[in-house]
């Protein structure tokens, strides 16, 4: 199981609890599982999110999520 | 656009008088080309004055005054030691126009004829009591510089008239002039306010003065009431404050992208105080 | 932490001449506008003079009748049915039903000369119905503001928000109320920053060619040619692989050249003109009116602080407009706002708001300078109020490795404390000040980015190496990539040539953005070099008849790994390359991926100013940039990034900013009035490179490009306060604003 | 609008071209003579990227008409090096990393050479004010100013 920390603006899609547990081994699986559990999140996630796994920010879906990792969903980052 | 390389002022005036479209004279070109490139003004007739004899000359006149040709670029004014010694305020005003590159082209006369209230080259001329030598279809005449600007982008010159040269009076003993402008950066900006002061001293006392202000009214203008405050004084603190107040009172600026009316009004007074000190020091022999 | 501690490297950390230096000092380097092609036409663009107007009719007949005019395009020449970002790009490239800002393209023309194209553009008659417009972000967010586009809000925006709010952000953690209750001082202020332009000196330029068969080519100045390819193909409905995009040398970008503007127009015109190539070069005025400025911002910040300087809570509510499309960097501004501080409770709220301005493009650390302006100013104000040293307060609350960031995850290795300590130790920090002078400090942060990267290195027959990279070199990255490649291969720097190659030569590369060129392309080049080393070791092993695992690579040569592997003299890269035709053919190494391992970069700036109390003019006396580079590959170009970022920030703080008239038209669309700093405005910019290596990069690199623009805005506000007692909370802090603030303090 | 035949000297070579009277010297150098080292950054005389010398005087070529070049001598960045021998300013710009994107570099070099021709021993302030009409957005000017000062010093030593 992966515990995913959502941002508080997602409260209106998932209810008050901003940590959601899903079954996943990669970022892609985690995002898919999130949408399966909370379909209202789909448009927000489709717009693009970055995912921090143990403090490192990733864009790719293939990135593995180790057991017990700390996972944060973030707005997609872009630089100049 | 028809390009004419005039060989005499009379020829230039004649082409301009006969033209029925938009006419521009080309001296330094630093305003004309910008307007052309931006599509603001595409002249039907462009009359290049640089091929006329003597337009590049800076000449000492018999009376000790100076004649500056219409195509003398700012960089050449700055390099002329005797002129700089006589009229540092006139020269420093012109040298503030644009960059080093622009100084290689821009001219005092062009700065005047562009009609900008913020022209850095002009207040010094006005304060100096300079006159413009004008050639037109009816021959030649001379008028004071301050009578040429008519409003933003406008001059009092009639169709077919052009300026052939600018004449500065003889400096004489005890004279000093100076110009400063305010800009937000250190270079490359159009003046937000400008002030030129020309004065004469006997001992420590100011005996003559002319004060000109720029960028704070539709035209560059003389402020005789401010000049009167200087005459008879030794530029003590009270006189300097009164000067600043009089200059600010004479200002009638607009608020635009370059500065607010309130700011311009205040700062032109600050400049007047600073410029008066420089002119005074120069008049007393400090040439810095 | 001084860079000289890392002497284990032969090349990394040295300052060789950049490989493109000779071309650039002789005028040979070819930029966007420097290429011409046989049969080439020139393009010109017709732009809206209105901030918001319905396009009633476009009559192109007079232009088309002009001799030498070969094509005219309007939105009718573009495919329909696009959605989302692709529609936004198309709409920004060429207006559809409405012109959305002053400068929005409405038609384009191609003709046989530049002057003829400009004449033809003037002959295109556009009939507009002028609509009410809105420019300021605080006006645009009002419920009754002119509506720029119905239904533009995305899923993040709750019901009932004002119509121009298109994205909404809310994230935070901890008990905010408890945090503020625990504080000895709670202050809340509003700060505003104006939109500024990246101000690259090279205007956008491209040469595009597209045939009826959908095959095309483009030469263009861009930070990312795969982005250009994808975006042009999307906007025009082309197959991406049929478009070949070659990047020119690029005359600055700073984020502004990561997207398309007139590039699709050159292709559309070319297709309509029978496939003749079309060159379009923007004027400076077009650049300022119609290409990516950054957003303007209005920001409320509230902070709680104890008497000893401990921060207890922070709240940021940011409103930003990024033009007539979504994309103001509110999200990143919020993430960066409190990044330098340990905070038990923090809340971020943000609104991305539409206004009648050009579509914002990325600009160096997008969002972070605005956020810093607000937060770093308020911290300074509160330190003054409590009589605390702003540096000690920053140190006391500074985040370290393992601390939870304000934006959520825990920090990995970071160098904020080291940066602050290095700042304190610098002589500028304690230089004496005179009357009307003041000192300001501020911190800054940027995440940095890895991203999609594909690099190939190939051996030449003589043992020299070419690197094919996909990130255009804006600030010397070819030098740093060559250094890392040569270091890895054990060969001289001069034996590596780095080429920035066209879209057909590599897999997709993201642009040079997010401070990623030296980080990501460098990392991929090192991996590619390692792949080539592996192959070279294998070739040597075959030659020697030993196990490839028993061969190691040392100082540019293969050698047996220890006495048991066999006794052979080292086989140099030149020998291996010279024989490669007969040992198995070409040798290359390749690496690609969506690269992680980025390390965030913190910086701290110290500025001394003198303010003329009579005119409000601010002079920068001294300037110091201290920033964590992880490791400086080519220190001179790291310093250059620090200095350039600081200069842009100084401009933003003091005199830059978009000025609109009542009519919604941009009033300062030339460099005369869009006032970037000139040489005489600035002192030397002192730098200290702090090196806390990033474990996610083979040499420890952190991206350094962006952080430097962040601290100047608040550092200068803090310095002006120190010099005058006046607090400026709105940028730009130009002389009229400063003088007014000084007078307000004096009660005059 | 008929074109005008212009004969002029560029970097010591006599050249001819046909110019529309509206075309600037910058347009003519780049589009008619293929001398693209001179850059256009603004077209209004505010950025200095198009700096050239006209009869030895530093000017913005965007503020000179092409037809004004008739009979004049023009110097551009392409004429700064003598064959393979770089001008000291060119060497020092590379050595000091005084360029990042390099777009403003030709203008800076032409302007800096004009300065050193006139004043071989400028102060930092003089260098900064002389070059105030050359915009650089990448470097913050620090390394440019250092490169110019260093080149001046080297040239002074060589002149002794």
């Amino acid at each position: 199981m992966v515990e995913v920390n959502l941002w508080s603006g997602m409260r209106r899609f998932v209810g008050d609890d901003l940590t959601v547990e899903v079954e996943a081994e990669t970022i892609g699986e985690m995002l898919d599982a999130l949408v399966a559990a909370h379909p209202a999140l789909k448009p927000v996630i489709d717009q693009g999110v970055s995912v921090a796994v143990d403090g490192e920010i990733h864009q790719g879906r293939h990135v593995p999520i180790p057991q017990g990792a700390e996972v944060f969903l973030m707005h997609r980052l872009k630089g100049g | 656009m028809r390009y004419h390389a005039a060989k005499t002022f009379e020829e230039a005036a004649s082409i301009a008088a006969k033209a029925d479209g938009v006419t521009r004279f080309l001296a330094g070109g630093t305003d004309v080309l910008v307007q052309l490139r931006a599509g603001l003004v595409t002249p039907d007739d462009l009359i290049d004055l640089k091929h006329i004899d003597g337009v590049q000359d800076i000449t000492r006149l018999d009376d000790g005054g100076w004649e500056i040709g219409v195509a003398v670029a700012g960089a050449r004014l700055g390099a002329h030691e005797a002129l700089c010694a006589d009229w540092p305020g006139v020269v420093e005003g012109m040298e503030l126009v644009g960059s080093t590159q622009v100084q290689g082209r821009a001219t005092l006369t062009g700065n005047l004829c562009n009609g900008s209230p913020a022209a850095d080259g002009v207040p010094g001329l006005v304060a100096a009591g300079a006159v413009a030598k004008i050639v037109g279809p009816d021959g030649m005449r001379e008028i004071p510089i301050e009578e040429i600007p008519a409003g933003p982008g406008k001059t009092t010159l009639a169709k077919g008239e052009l300026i052939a040269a600018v004449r500065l009076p003889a400096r004489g003993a005890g004279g000093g002039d100076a110009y400063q402008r305010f800009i937000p950066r250190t270079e490359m900006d159009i003046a937000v306010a400008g002030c030129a002061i020309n004065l004469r001293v006997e001992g420590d006392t100011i005996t003559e003065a002319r004060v000109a202000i720029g960028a704070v009214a539709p035209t560059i203008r003389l402020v005789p009431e401010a000049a009167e405050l200087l005459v008879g004084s030794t530029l003590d603190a009270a006189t300097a404050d009164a000067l600043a107040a009089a200059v600010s009172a004479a200002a009638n600026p607009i608020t635009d992208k370059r500065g607010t009316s309130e700011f311009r009004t205040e700062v032109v007074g600050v400049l007047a105080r600073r410029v008066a000190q420089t002119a005074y020091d120069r008049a007393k022999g400090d040439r810095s | 932490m001084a860079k000289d501690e890392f002497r284990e490297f032969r090349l990394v950390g040295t300052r060789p001449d950049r490989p493109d230096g000779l071309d650039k000092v002789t005028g040979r380097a070819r930029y966007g506008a420097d290429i011409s092609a046989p049969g080439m036409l020139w393009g010109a663009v017709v732009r809206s003079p209105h901030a918001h107007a319905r396009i009633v009719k476009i009559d192109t007949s007079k232009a088309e009748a002009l001799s030498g005019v070969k094509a005219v395009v309007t939105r009718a020449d573009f495919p329909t049915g696009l959605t989302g970002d692709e529609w936004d790009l198309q709409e920004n490239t060429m207006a559809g039903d409405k012109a959305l800002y002053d400068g929005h393209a409405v038609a384009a023309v191609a003709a046989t000369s530049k002057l003829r194209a400009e004449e033809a553009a003037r002959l295109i008659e556009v009939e507009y119905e002028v609509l009410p417009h809105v420019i300021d972000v605080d006006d645009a967010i009002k419920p009754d503001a002119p509506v720029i586009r119905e239904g533009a809000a995305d899923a993040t925006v709750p019901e009932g928000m004002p119509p121009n709010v298109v994205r909404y952000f809310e994230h935070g953690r901890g008990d905010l109320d408890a945090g503020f209750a625990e504080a000895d001082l709670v202050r809340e202020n509003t700060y505003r920053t104006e939109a500024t332009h990246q101000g690259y000196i090279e205007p956008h330029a491209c040469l595009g060619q597209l045939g009826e068969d959908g095959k095309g080519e483009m030469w263009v100045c861009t930070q990312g040619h795969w982005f250009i390819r994808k975006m042009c193909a999307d906007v025009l409905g082309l197959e991406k692989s049929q478009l070949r995009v070659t990047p020119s040398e690029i005359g600055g970008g700073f984020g502004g050249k990561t997207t398309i503007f007139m590039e699709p127009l050159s292709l559309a015109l070319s297709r309509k003109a029978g496939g003749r190539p079309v060159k379009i070069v923007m004027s400076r005025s077009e650049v300022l009116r119609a290409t990516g400025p950054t957003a303007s911002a209005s920001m409320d910040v509230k902070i709680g602080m104890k008497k000893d300087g401990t921060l207890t809570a922070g709240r940021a509510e940011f409103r930003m407009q990024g033009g007539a499309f979504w994309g103001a960097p509110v999200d990143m501004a919020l993430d960066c706002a409190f990044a330098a501080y340990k905070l038990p409770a923090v809340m971020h709220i943000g609104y991305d708001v539409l206004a009648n301005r050009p579509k914002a493009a990325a600009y160096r650390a997008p969002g972070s300078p605005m956020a810093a302006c607000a937060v770093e100013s308020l911290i300074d104000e509160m330190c003054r109020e409590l009589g605390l040293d702003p540096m000690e307060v920053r140190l006391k609350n500074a985040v370290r490795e393992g601390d939870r960031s304000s934006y959520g995850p825990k920090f990995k290795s970071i160098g904020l404390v080291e940066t602050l300590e290095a700042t304190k130790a610098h002589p500028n920090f304690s230089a004496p000040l005179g009357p009307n002078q003041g000192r300001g400090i501020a911190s800054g942060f940027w995440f940095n980015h890895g991203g999609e990267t594909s690099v190939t290195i190939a051996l030449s027959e003589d043992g020299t190496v070419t690197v094919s990279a996909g990130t255009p070199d804006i600030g010397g990255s070819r030098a740093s990539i060559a250094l890392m490649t040569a270091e890895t291969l054990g060969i001289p720097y001069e034996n590596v040539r780095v080429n920035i190659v066209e879209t057909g030569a590599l897999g997709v590369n993201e642009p040079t953005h997010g401070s990623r060129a030296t980080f990501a392309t460098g990392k991929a080049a090192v991996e590619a070099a390692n792949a080539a080393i592996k192959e070279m070791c294998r070739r040597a092993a075959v030659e020697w008849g030993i196990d490839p695992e028993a061969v190691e690579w040392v100082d540019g040569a293969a050698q047996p790994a220890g006495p048991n592997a066999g006794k052979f003299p080292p086989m140099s890269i030149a020998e291996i390359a010279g024989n490669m035709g007969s040992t198995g053919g070409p040798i290359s190494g390749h690496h690609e991926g969506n690269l992680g391992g980025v390390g965030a970069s913190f910086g701290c700036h110290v500025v001394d100013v003198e303010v003329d109390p009579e005119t409000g003019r601010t002079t920068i006396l001294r300037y110091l940039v201290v920033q964590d580079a992880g490791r400086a590959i080519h220190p001179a170009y790291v310093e250059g990034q620090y200095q350039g970022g600081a200069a842009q920030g100084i401009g933003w703080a003091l005199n830059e900013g978009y000025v609109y008239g009542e009519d919604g038209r941009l009033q300062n669309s030339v460099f005369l009035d869009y006032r970037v700093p000139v040489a005489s405005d600035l002192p030397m910019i002192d730098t200290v490179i702090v090196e806390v290596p990033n474990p996610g990069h083979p040499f420890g690199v952190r991206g350094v490009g962006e952080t430097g623009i962040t601290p100047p805005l608040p550092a200068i506000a803090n310095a002006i306060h120190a010099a005058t007692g006046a607090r400026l909370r709105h940028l730009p802090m130009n002389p009229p604003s400063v003088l007014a603030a000084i007078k307000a303090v004096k009660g005059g | 609008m008929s074109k005008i035949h212009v004969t002029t000297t560029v970097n010591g070579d006599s050249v001819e071209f046909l110019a529309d009277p509206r075309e600037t010297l910058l347009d003519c150098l780049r589009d008619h003579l293929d001398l693209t080292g001179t850059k256009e950054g603004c077209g209004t005389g505010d950025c200095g990227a198009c700096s050239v010398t006209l009869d030895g005087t530093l000017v913005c070529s965007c503020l000179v008409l092409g037809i004004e070049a008739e009979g004049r001598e023009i110097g551009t960045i392409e004429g700064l090096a003598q064959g393979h021998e770089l001008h000291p300013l060119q060497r020092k710009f590379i050595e000091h990393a005084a360029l990042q994107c390099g777009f403003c570099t030709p203008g800076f070099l032409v302007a800096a050479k004009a300065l050193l021709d006139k004043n071989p021993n400028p102060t930092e302030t003089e260098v900064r004010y002389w070059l105030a009409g050359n915009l650089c957005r990448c470097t913050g000017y620090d390394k440019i100013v250092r490169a110019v000062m260093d080149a001046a010093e080297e040239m002074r030593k060589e002149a002794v």
Side-chain angles (χ1 to χ4, degrees), chain B:
Chain B
M1 187 175 89
R2 287 171 296 268
Y3 170 81
H4 310 272
K7 290 283 188 290
T8 63
F9 284 111
E10 291 68 24
E11 181 191 349
S14 162
I15 295 166
K18 285 181 202 144
D20 47 14
V22 177
T23 305
R24 285 287 184 278
F25 294 104
L26 182 66
T30 52
D31 291 312
V32 172
L33 263 79
V34 171
Q35 292 164 2
L36 176 68
R37 286 300 297 267
L40 297 174
V41 179
T42 304
D44 297 293
D45 291 281
L46 183 67
I47 306 166
D48 192 344
L49 305 176
K50 288 192 296 297
H51 299 273
I52 300 171
D53 276 349
V55 292
Q56 308 275 7
D57 294 347
I58 300 170
T59 313
R60 170 88 78 173
L61 301 173
D62 292 343
D63 66 356
W66 293 93
E67 182 166 305
I68 299 166
V70 67
V72 173
R76 296 212 31 244
L77 283 185
H80 198 291
E81 283 182 21
L83 180 68
C84 291
D86 271 11
W87 293 104
V90 170
V91 175
E92 73 193 352
M94 186 59 211
E95 286 191 305
L96 287 172
V97 175
S99 61
T100 318
Q101 287 85 339
V102 168
Q103 284 293 307
R105 294 272 289 169
T107 68
L108 262 180
T109 308
N111 201 229
L112 173 63
C113 291
N114 191 42
S116 167
D120 286 313
V122 180
L125 290 176
V126 170
V131 297
K133 206 168 103 181
I134 293 169
V135 177
D138 304 325
M140 191 173 293
R141 64 189 179 111
E142 284 190 6
I143 61 170
I145 297 292
E146 58 268 29
E147 290 178 20
I148 289 175
K154 296 195 181 75
T155 69
T156 54
L157 297 181
K159 184 175 165 68
E161 283 192 325
L162 70 153
I163 296 176
V166 165
R167 282 188 176 174
L168 285 163
R171 175 65 280 184
D177 73 333
Y179 173 77
Q180 282 186 35
R181 60 158 182 204
F182 183 82
I183 54 171
R185 292 181 292 187
T186 51
E187 271 284 358
M188 302 305 291
D189 291 325
I190 299 288
V192 176
C195 180
I197 294 178
N198 171 33
L199 47 77
R200 194 181 304 283
V201 294
E202 281 179 31
D204 290 340
T205 306
I206 298 171
T207 57
E208 293 170 31
R210 283 167 69 90
V211 177
I213 53 176
V216 289
T219 61
I220 286 157
R221 64 160 65 148
L222 273 172
V223 191
E225 63 274 27
E228 280 165 27
L229 293 168
L230 291 175
V231 175
S233 84
T234 56
L235 199 61
D236 53 291
T239 302
D241 288 344
L243 169 73
V247 164
S248 288
N252 178 27
I254 56 166
T255 289
D256 68 4
K257 62 192 169 192
R258 292 173 185 148
T260 60
S261 167
E262 186 189 9
F263 179 76
R264 291 182 140 129
T265 302
E266 175 154 356
V267 167
V268 76
V270 172
L271 291 177
R273 203 181 315 117
R274 295 177 181 181
V275 169
Q277 190 63 54
T278 305
Y280 184 72
D281 293 344
R282 285 173 177 168
K284 290 185 66 182
D286 176 359
R287 306 311 310 182
S288 64

Side-chain angles (χ1 to χ4, degrees), chain C residues 425-448:
Chain C
H426 192 279
N428 283 22
F429 191 70
S430 46
L433 291 168
N436 301 315
Q437 297 181 356
R439 176 166 299 141
I441 67 166
S443 302
F445 168 77
W446 185 248
F447 302 94
N448 296 325

Side-chain angles (χ1 to χ4, degrees), chain C residues 18 31 34 639 656 677, chain D residues 30 39 99-101 137 143:
Chain C
R18 60 191 288 164
Y31 292 83
D34 295 342
E639 292 161 1
E656 291 181 39
Chain D
R30 291 179 55 85
K39 304 300 181 194
L99 54 141
Q100 285 179 32
C101 81
R137 192 61 159 171
K143 293 181 189 302

